[in-house]
Amino acid sequence: MIRLLGSGWGHVRSLLPERAALAAMRRHPRQDLLAGLTVAVVALPLALAFGISSGLGAASGLATAVVAGSIAAVFGGSALQVSGTSGAMTVVLMPIMGAHGATGVLTVGVLAGLLLMALALARAGRYMALVPAPVVAGFTVGIACVIGLQQVPHALGVDARPSDKVAVVAWHAVLDFLARPHWWAMSVTLVVAALLLLGASVRPTVPFSLVAVALATVVAELAALPLARIGELPAGLPAPSLGFLDLSVVPSLFAPAVAVAALAALESLLSASVADGMGGGRRHDPDRELFGQGLANLVTPLFGGMPGTGALVRTAVNVRSGARSRLASLAHAGILALIVYTAAGLVSRIPLAALAGVLLATSVRMVEVDAVRAMFRSTRGDAVVLVLTAVATLMLDTVLAVILGLVVAGAMALRAMARNVRLDAEPLRHDLQPHHTEDEHALLAEHIVTYRLAGPLFFAASHRFLREMSEVTDVSVVVLRMSRVTTIDASGALVLGEAIERLERRGVMVYVSGIPDGHHQPLEALGVVARLNRAGQVFTTTTEAIAAARERLHSTGIVPRLAG
């Protein structure tokens, strides 16, 4: 018991910040502070825009960037990760906001935080890396489409009609615009989006998002353009409170919380992996990253913030800006907090159309065209999984889309594995002793057939194996050579036993040779080889099995002994 408690506490302690990681924050303060400033400039318009898109408001997006960004910077498993609001999370939160309101979203954030911390304690971080690349790519494409469609009402300067389908909202926005067209909002959106896309291709290190939003705000103010604005923001973060928490509705919010936690885990670990590749081979700790994100999501709702994740765009900017430690992402959160306290009045005048342009450009840049094209060129299965996941993300539900993508990808992988199981007839002559006569070789070859069973014998391949074995005819003995079998599960073992029984009912004796170490258990547990063992028909080598089969044929008179 003491040993188990010590082991459990050791794992909890491994999830907490290390002294070395915190000490690294003092090594390159100038580089980290400059990187943090750059990321804050990029993060400000995104935090505002995603907060508004979620339905919780710009203040909620800022609270998430400040609180979640600082907590995850200290407790997360990546030294270069930047956390905050994200487009994918916004898409997940919209239906929760519509069904349960702001208090429901905040409660879901707390529950998701607890679930993420539980995943970290269960050491589940390593398994998130098993999500297939086509699923991730399809999910990203679908989220990009959803974010783009979400911006259509703001981009056209019309009120969004209530619906949980973004395509429906966008379609009605277009109809409303065509009924009474007005061009200022569309013009601002397109100019901002174009400036971001063109600027990013020419000078990727320049924070064009802030420049474009600032210019749009100045022009809108000076020209008194009829554009909807963000509106009043609180001059600072609210005091922490659990007033939103209603325990009676927690059971109904558990399923949405699972969806939010799954998305936060997937997106954060994906972003951390990208940071590893960009940051010179550093390795993040996936369990610690889950713990840090869980703690951040547990605390952020107390300040009115929406659930957050590791943010891929801001993390990439952080690495490209020369960040060397956690100080950069911590500084980004501090700078945003300073903006909240000192410039809330200026931020409130930003046109919603300008933020729509920022998110439109973000949605375009989210899709890596080369990676998607490579998936389509890879295999037909990869292309199917990518398209299916993208369409499901757009039309159904984000978490359901990932689950659907995983199921289809898994089914295709099983199908590919099932094709690898082979049952090949092999010549008998090489398995007989050299002193046997040619006549005996020929006579035995008429009655004994050897089959090489290779590959995985599991549920997806078992029926094919049974069909092929049932086609064996006109022999007295079948020797199954199993030394190249890679996997046997319960279904495969049962089908193997059924195939052996079918052969024996037709008067064919079955001998088995070369069962690999580790594969005896399912065969013995299901009684497949027990009877053959008792009858002396299971052998280590094929030579021994054929020798025993020859003796049985001689003793029964099926094959007479020939003089050598």
Side-chain angles (χ1 to χ4, degrees), residues 110-354:
V110 171
L111 296 176
L114 293 173
L115 288 172
L116 286 168
M117 296 174 73
L119 288 174
L121 292 171
R123 296 180 172 92
R126 72 194 77 173
Y127 299 110
M128 299 303 295
L130 301 179
V131 178
V135 175
V136 176
F139 177 75
T140 304
V141 171
I143 288 296
C145 294
V146 171
I147 293 172
L149 290 173
Q150 280 179 344
Q151 308 318 307
V152 173
H154 289 320
L156 298 179
V158 300
D159 294 331
R161 296 195 186 186
S163 175
D164 57 351
K165 302 298 182 185
V166 290
V168 174
V169 174
W171 174 248
H172 284 298
V174 172
L175 294 179
D176 291 344
F177 173 79
L178 293 176
R180 292 194 311 170
H182 42 280
W183 304 98
W184 282 116
M186 179 188 290
S187 301
V188 169
T189 298
L190 293 178
V191 169
V192 170
L195 182 59
L196 263 65
L197 293 174
L198 293 174
S201 63
V202 177
R203 293 288 183 87
T205 58
V206 176
F208 282 100
S209 58
L210 186 66
V211 173
V213 169
L215 286 175
T217 304
V218 170
V219 171
E221 287 293 303
L222 293 178
L225 298 180
L227 296 172
R229 312 302 173 99
I230 287 178
E232 185 177 357
L233 291 174
L237 295 175
S241 171
L242 278 173
F244 62 87
L245 191 60
D246 182 0
L247 295 179
S248 64
V249 300
V250 167
S252 64
L253 294 174
F254 185 75
V258 171
V260 169
L263 176 59
L266 177 64
E267 193 169 7
S268 297
L269 293 179
L270 175 64
S271 178
S273 298
V274 172
D276 288 345
M278 296 177 62
R282 297 191 186 200
R283 300 295 300 171
H284 72 281
D285 185 322
D287 291 328
R288 187 176 294 168
E289 182 63 27
L290 290 181
F291 183 82
Q293 295 295 335
L295 186 60
N297 279 293
L298 182 64
V299 176
T300 298
L302 276 63
F303 295 88
M306 57 193 278
T309 72
L312 185 55
V313 173
R314 276 150 282 178
T315 298
V317 171
N318 192 41
V319 178
R320 291 195 189 107
S321 302
R324 304 292 293 273
S325 74
R326 300 169 188 270
L327 179 60
S329 51
L330 191 60
H332 130 272
I335 293 167
L336 288 177
L338 185 64
I339 293 173
V340 171
Y341 278 104
T342 61
L346 293 175
V347 172
S348 67
R349 302 305 301 166
I350 295 175
L352 294 178

Side-chain angles (χ1 to χ4, degrees), residues 392-477:
T393 301
L394 179 61
M395 303 303 297
L396 300 176
D397 173 79
T398 50
V399 175
L400 180 61
V402 172
I403 294 173
L404 185 61
L406 288 173
V407 170
V408 174
M412 290 187 171
L414 290 175
R415 181 182 175 212
M417 289 179 63
R419 289 178 175 176
N420 290 331
V421 65
R422 300 185 60 180
L423 185 69
D424 298 323
E426 295 191 334
L428 183 66
R429 297 180 63 86
H430 301 295
D431 299 303
L432 297 175
Q433 296 299 324
H435 64 268
H436 295 147
T437 66
E438 288 293 325
D439 290 337
E440 187 172 19
H441 279 309
L443 190 58
L444 290 174
E446 291 179 4
H447 294 273
I448 301 176
V449 62
T450 62
Y451 281 93
R452 168 79 69 180
L453 182 58
L457 184 58
F458 67 125
F459 69 94
S462 55
H463 292 291
R464 176 186 167 197
F465 167 75
L466 179 62
R467 185 179 66 252
E468 293 185 12
M469 281 293 293
S470 299
E471 295 174 356
V472 177
T473 58
D474 298 330
V475 294
S476 300
V477 176

